[in-house]
Amino acid sequence: MTIDNCENWDAKYKSCLWLAHRLIIGQPQWRQNTLELRDLRTLIGISETGSLSAAARKLHLTQPALSASLRRLEEELGVQLVRRHSRGAVLTEEGRYVLQKAYGIVQDVAEVVSVVHSLAEEPVGTVNLGLPTTVAGGLIPELLPLLRQRFPRIKLHIIEAMSGVLVELLQLGRLDMAVMFDIQPMAGLRSEPILKERLYFLVPSDHHLAQRESVRFEEVARVGLVLPSVENSIRKLIETTCQAEGLSLNVLADVDSLPGLINLVKGGYCTILPIYLVTDHIKSGVISAIEITRPELAWTIHLATRNDAIRPRASLTTGRILVEACKKLVESGDWPGYIENRG
């Protein structure tokens, strides 16, 4: 169905659709589009001030120059965009449509200029980074010195929270980036893998399974466990595995505190956690870490950012240094896991 044979449409909406085709789709017989930003800014100025004379003052133009800019835009699009009256000027229906597009175009160009200028300069600014509790305590001492040594004008604002909270803060724009586990595709978010690590069955040293090197998942499911709550990534992975295996958990308490879980294990309870921040307790013999098999529990750690976020050089640089810090921790053996192939 073409625009011209939509006879039942109201005339003003028909003309706006025709204009949309001209602005966005184009037609082969039309001459090459020569729209200029200054002409779009002219339309924005007229809309915001309500008259050509006031718009000229705001844009630091003479009124003849502004009128010529408006005329050029109208001739290019082939429609009247502004209707003048005794008290000033108002936009036509077509003018209001073009205005919406003009705001987006001008904003996009401003963002491109901002990012390019940022990339041309030394990285500077505050980067809001979210870290899950099971990572923060070990990663921060490695990341911050690296960043301060190489890029002293970048300031980190680190927020430590459970993964569910970090997703929400990232989607709300309160974080520039966040480290997350096995992040599912979410509207507005992008992610890149960093490393992979296993989860272990943690028991007190005097537990009857403490001397085992490995334990089947179905055995773990039968033991009374203290675990993070259902919104936590660890719990979601465990619950998903249970469903796949046709098992049910014996959860004694939901505990959204890493120190709390570790202390409970030292006090006689069992849990399932990655061992990154528990290695000292394992080496001292207070806690035993047992491999889980059939199936094993493992997840991939990602660096997540917002799709629509402008990533100035400070943010891009911080992400690169964070990945480097993770790699160093893995290579040194401080972080049990292996680096994902990043292609």
Side-chain angles (χ1 to χ4, degrees):
M1 180 174 65
T2 65
I3 297 172
D4 292 333
N5 63 19
C6 298
E7 296 176 352
N8 295 327
W9 286 18
D10 187 280
K12 65 180 181 179
Y13 294 110
K14 181 178 176 181
S15 63
C16 281
L17 184 57
W18 174 87
L19 183 59
H21 273 251
R22 182 152 191 179
L23 278 171
I24 301 171
I25 301 173
Q27 294 288 347
Q29 66 269 27
W30 290 337
R31 62 191 174 89
Q32 186 176 1
N33 194 299
T34 56
L35 291 177
E36 296 187 15
L37 278 175
R38 60 180 177 175
D39 298 336
L40 295 177
R41 290 192 178 101
T42 290
L43 187 66
I44 292 173
I46 295 171
S47 171
E48 292 179 346
T49 61
S51 74
L52 271 67
S53 58
R57 290 192 297 271
K58 180 177 182 178
L59 297 173
H60 305 291
L61 298 172
T62 65
Q63 188 162 337
L66 183 126
S67 297
S69 177
L70 174 61
R71 184 168 56 254
R72 185 166 54 245
L73 184 60
E74 289 181 329
E75 289 176 354
E76 174 62 32
L77 296 175
V79 292
Q80 182 182 3
L81 302 175
V82 175
R83 184 176 294 112
R84 306 185 197 193
H85 55 76
S86 59
R87 297 184 302 278
V90 295
L91 270 58
T92 63
E93 192 74 26
E94 295 86 351
R96 288 194 289 273
Y97 176 82
V98 176
L99 177 68
Q100 294 176 355
K101 298 298 179 182
Y103 273 122
I105 292 169
V106 170
Q107 181 180 0
D108 286 345
V109 171
E111 290 177 355
V112 169
V113 172
S114 174
V115 171
V116 170
H117 286 172
S118 175
L119 291 172
E121 300 170 353
E122 179 186 354
V124 59
T126 300
V127 176
N128 299 302
L129 170 64
L131 296 177
T133 304
T134 53
V135 167
L139 182 55
I140 292 173
E142 184 71 27
L143 171 62
L144 189 57
L146 274 178
L147 199 60
R148 292 294 302 164
Q149 178 184 5
R150 300 184 196 175
F151 304 100
R153 298 182 68 189
I154 295 178
K155 180 181 178 182
L156 271 185
H157 176 206
I158 298 174
I159 297 177
E160 178 184 341
M162 290 293 182
S163 51
V165 175
L166 295 180
V167 171
E168 182 179 351
L169 293 177
L170 192 59
Q171 291 178 320
L172 290 173
R174 292 175 59 187
L175 292 175
D176 298 305
M177 62 183 68
V179 172
M180 296 182 183
F181 307 100
D182 278 344
I183 184 170
Q184 299 299 313
M186 297 183 190
L189 296 186
R190 60 185 171 213
S191 66
E192 55 181 315
I194 304 176
L195 62 89
K196 195 163 188 175
E197 67 175 351
R198 297 182 64 172
L199 276 65
Y200 288 78
F201 182 43
L202 302 185
V203 301
S205 57
D206 58 355
H207 193 273
H208 69 279
L209 296 174
Q211 303 306 314
R212 295 265 298 271
E213 292 186 0
S214 64
V215 60
R216 295 179 59 168
F217 182 75
E218 64 178 350
E219 295 180 76
V220 176
R222 291 196 296 265
V223 176
L225 299 170
V226 289
L227 294 173
S229 63
V230 292
E231 294 302 316
N232 187 274
S233 295
I234 294 174
R235 181 67 171 273
K236 287 179 179 179
L237 174 60
I238 298 169
E239 294 280 3
T240 300
T241 304
C242 275
Q243 292 176 6
E245 297 295 315
L247 301 171
S248 59
L249 290 173
N250 179 15
V251 181
L252 304 179
D254 295 336
V255 182
D256 284 328
S257 165
L258 180 61
L261 286 170
I262 294 173
N263 286 331
L264 283 170
V265 175
K266 289 197 266 185
Y269 292 87
C270 303
T271 191
I272 300 173
L273 288 174
I275 60 172
Y276 177 30
L277 299 181
V278 194
T279 52
D280 287 345
H281 299 289
I282 297 171
K283 290 176 182 178
S284 67
V286 177
I287 291 177
S288 293
I290 308 169
E291 289 188 3
I292 300 173
T293 62
R294 299 186 185 183
E296 73 171 27
L297 295 182
W299 60 15
T300 301
I301 296 172
H302 292 76
L303 179 62
T305 58
R306 283 165 52 96
N307 266 330
D308 60 349
I310 305 171
R311 298 190 67 189
R313 195 173 181 190
S315 179
L316 292 167
T317 299
T318 300
R320 178 168 54 83
I321 297 299
L322 184 146
V323 172
E324 182 181 337
C326 291
K327 183 177 180 179
K328 284 189 172 184
L329 288 166
V330 171
E331 290 175 345
S332 67
D334 293 323
W335 193 337
Y338 58 90
I339 297 293
E340 285 281 274
N341 183 0
R342 296 163 56 86

